Amino acid sequence: MSTQPTASHFINGKYVEDAAGEDIPVIYPATGEVIATLHAATPAIVDQALAAAKAAQSTWAGWSGTERGRVLRCAADIMRERNHDLSVLETYDTGKPYQETSVVDATSGADALEYFGGLAAAITGEHIQLGDDFVYTRREPLGVCVGIGAWNYPTQIACWKGAPALACGNTMVFKPSETTPLCALKVAEIMIEAGAPPGVYNVIQGYGAVGASLITDPRVDKVSLTGSVPTGKKVYAAAAEGVRHVTMELGGKSPLVIFDDADLENAVSGAILGNFYSSGQVCSNGTRVFVQKGIKEAFLTRLTERLSGVKMGDPQDPDVNFGPMVSERQRDIVEGFIAKGKEEGARLVTGGNGVDRPGFYLEPTVFADVTDEMTIATDEIFGPVMSVLDFDTEEEVLRRANATDFGLAAGVFTANLTRAHRMAAGFEAGTCYINTYNDAPVEAPFGGTKQSGVGRENSKAAIEHYSQIKGVYVRMGDLEAPF
Ligand code: NDP
């Protein structure tokens, strides 16, 4: 497969290049080799993309919901037909194993396109009777939306933002992370093949500065970011200048609480899924694993046994289940956290080392005896590093679980039904799990509280964030005035 795209950007239904833009080398994380070179958008490219999105918006909004939905559902079908090729590309872009990408990335993108395609025709206003008078509401699009993505799920993020935006009659300019610029271009190609008019979904490349220039452009009505909390604060502030709508899907340091009555095998599975899937590069990961003291050693023993099932290697090999970190930089950041964990006195149970092969591999790493104030328990690591903390009581663990500025996700494993729901109610987090972890079906809302974000992606809730209500008052009789 050629990993060099036809051109760097996809605007107004066509690939577009401007070689004057800064080089973006695309590095395959499994080998460190450069597999493509793209160019960051110049101001002329940014302008071209926004002009295309602006020009297409009113026509697209004029289509009926059924017509828009048909395009999105057709795009979903094409994505599913091409799942193999899209998954191979996602693996080149991110280094995540094909075993994961073939079942998660283009497939969840297709789910979003299908779901919002199905909802598009049902996006309606309401009628409010006021005696003889009445008010009706129109649910209208926001206009031109900018999507800015992180590097961990490039296809999924491009679809999670694009599908609800387009279903509501908006148009989009999407900027992927410069670390993983390849996959969103395929989403843009597919939209056109599925029948979207040119300009409805555009992709431009660039470093943070390109994202920043998009946010402040007067043609932009909404910004949806998936990224870290520091970037989120900058983007939120820049969007506020123009009083633009925002969705912020930011970072986390989520708690996963395991009570001693939990099914141990399931709890270990939850901890593995919530820490080591995608080599730990998942925003909602439950990286603070609180284990009730009575089962702590049994948990650590079983977890260590299960980690012998890790198979690292060429991520394109379908038997490989653990890939490299996305970049050398990210690997170095995570190694820094591992060193800090050792320095601050956490017990290294397993892992902690690089791997003697090319690429940015790191062993899955488990620390035990972690305390609340250690850096590995307070900071988002975004790598395969699990911190196991002990606890005694429900009240204590809930207080400690919530003692963070993040609030993205939280999970609990217990056999006690009422306790499970009490914990879910008590967690200060936008997305909670009972006896599972990290499921993210498109039907369910996804997003964070506190500093982990604003707004929700997926589910019917996303419609609220990509549309606005207009109220229209209709008087049926004569109108009186004081003079
Ligand atoms: P970053 O915050 O570094 O970057 C996110 C995106 O924002 C990138 O496209 C980046 O471009 C762009 N960007 C950076 N600075 C600016 C700016 N000033 N104005 C506009 N755009 C800017 O995140 P990462 O890519 O490193 O992704 C990891 C982070 O994303 C983690 O914190 C993780 O938790 C979070 N995340 C959250 C998810 C959620 O749904 N809540 C899901 C996945 C990840 P560039 O890369 O070119 O700098």
Side-chain angles (χ1 to χ4, degrees):
M1 161 187 279
S2 168
T3 43
Q4 177 68 44
T6 311
S8 300
H9 320 288
F10 195 95
I11 300 171
N12 217 14
K14 293 192 295 287
Y15 274 101
V16 179
E17 191 58 273
D18 182 349
E22 195 178 342
D23 277 4
I24 300 178
V26 186
I27 293 167
Y28 184 32
T31 62
E33 290 164 322
V34 175
I35 55 168
T37 303
L38 282 70
H39 295 281
T42 54
I45 288 285
V46 172
D47 182 63
Q48 212 177 315
L50 288 172
K54 184 79 184 168
Q57 200 266 319
S58 59
T59 308
W60 177 242
W63 288 27
S64 73
T66 306
E67 291 167 328
R68 289 197 302 271
R70 194 176 300 138
V71 168
L72 297 178
R73 286 185 295 106
C74 179
D77 291 344
I78 299 173
M79 285 195 78
R80 289 209 180 91
E81 278 161 24
R82 295 195 194 149
N83 185 45
H84 171 74
D85 286 356
L86 293 170
S87 305
V88 169
L89 190 68
E90 174 98 15
T91 293
Y92 277 123
D93 223 2
T94 61
K96 292 185 294 181
Y98 178 83
Q99 197 182 97
E100 289 186 15
T101 56
S102 58
V103 295
V104 165
D105 294 280
T107 53
S108 68
D111 284 353
L113 291 162
E114 185 172 8
Y115 176 83
F116 288 105
L119 273 188
I123 300 170
T124 58
E126 62 177 342
H127 171 100
I128 305 156
Q129 195 67 44
L130 299 161
D132 288 338
D133 293 354
F134 61 94
V135 168
Y136 67 91
T137 64
R138 294 166 48 90
R139 188 159 280 282
E140 299 185 340
L142 301 173
V144 174
C145 301
V146 163
I148 300 176
W151 39 254
N152 55 350
Y153 284 86
T155 305
Q156 185 187 75
I157 295 171
C159 294
W160 279 19
K161 298 192 188 305
L166 268 52
C168 293
N170 306 284
T171 53
M172 175 157 274
V173 176
F174 185 79
K175 189 204 84 70
S177 164
E178 91 280 354
T179 311
T180 54
L182 303 178
C183 297
L185 291 169
K186 293 288 168 196
V187 176
E189 263 182 48
I190 288 170
M191 294 289 199
I192 288 289
E193 280 182 64
V200 163
Y201 188 89
N202 310 278
V203 171
I204 64 171
Q205 310 293 345
Y207 297 89
V210 170
S213 72
L214 284 169
I215 301 161
T216 46
D217 191 282
R219 287 166 287 192
V220 171
D221 300 287
K222 153 134 197 165
V223 181
S224 176
L225 169 81
T226 297
S228 61
V229 172
T231 302
K233 288 181 181 174
K234 282 189 228 159
V235 170
Y236 203 175
E241 279 294 308
V243 199
R244 298 194 169 85
H245 296 258
V246 294
T247 297
M248 295 280 142
E249 292 294 349
L250 309 178
K253 187 73 193 178
S254 301
L256 171 55
V257 177
I258 301 171
F259 285 95
D260 59 11
D261 63 352
D263 179 298
L264 187 64
E265 212 54 31
N266 287 338
V268 171
S269 294
I272 289 173
L273 288 170
N275 281 272
F276 300 130
Y277 205 73
S278 301
S279 297
Q281 303 165 113
V282 179
C283 51
S284 49
N285 270 356
T287 47
R288 289 184 293 143
V289 181
F290 291 93
V291 182
Q292 206 162 15
K293 277 190 184 141
I295 56 158
K296 173 182 154 188
E297 290 309 326
F299 172 84
L300 290 172
T301 302
R302 190 61 192 130
L303 176 66
T304 312
E305 285 167 10
R306 293 270 299 272
L307 287 176
S308 64
V310 167
K311 189 157 183 239
M312 279 193 229
D314 172 5
Q316 299 287 1
D317 174 349
D319 290 334
V320 164
N321 59 20
F322 195 85
M325 308 261 72
V326 75
S327 63
E328 187 171 15
R329 179 171 173 270
Q330 189 62 18
R331 199 253 330 261
D332 293 349
I333 290 172
V334 177
E335 279 182 338
F337 277 110
I338 293 171
K340 198 87 181 157
K342 291 179 190 164
E343 197 183 300
E344 293 181 0
R347 166 161 62 108
L348 183 64
V349 177
T350 181
N353 301 305
V355 178
D356 187 19
R357 54 168 293 143
F360 316 126
Y361 289 82
L362 258 185
E363 290 175 342
T365 300
V366 178
F367 281 106
D369 304 336
V370 177
T371 54
D372 294 357
E373 66 287 347
M374 286 181 186
T375 307
I376 56 171
T378 56
D379 290 19
E380 184 182 44
I381 298 176
F382 226 61
V385 182
M386 182 193 301
S387 295
V388 178
L389 304 92
D390 313 341
F391 75 94
D392 288 304
T393 68
E394 180 182 327
E395 189 192 20
E396 168 210 338
V397 77
L398 187 60
R399 178 180 44 75
R400 290 170 58 200
N402 287 336
T404 167
D405 288 337
F406 295 110
L408 188 53
V412 57
F413 279 80
T414 176
N416 181 329
L417 191 66
T418 50
R419 175 160 65 192
H421 294 291
R422 243 186 348 258
M423 289 292 290
F427 281 137
E428 294 169 3
T431 310
C432 295
Y433 304 100
I434 294 175
N435 292 333
T436 184
Y437 205 83
N438 261 355
D439 305 81
V442 66
E443 296 87 346
F446 183 83
T449 59
K450 303 203 282 191
Q451 293 198 9
S452 290
V454 176
R456 292 292 176 271
E457 294 200 300
N458 290 342
S459 81
K460 283 178 272 185
I463 298 295
E464 306 280 330
H465 298 291
Y466 282 100
S467 62
Q468 58 195 336
I469 287 183
K470 178 183 281 172
V472 181
Y473 193 107
V474 180
R475 182 171 294 277
M476 298 296 284
D478 293 333
L479 187 59
E480 285 178 19
F483 53 85

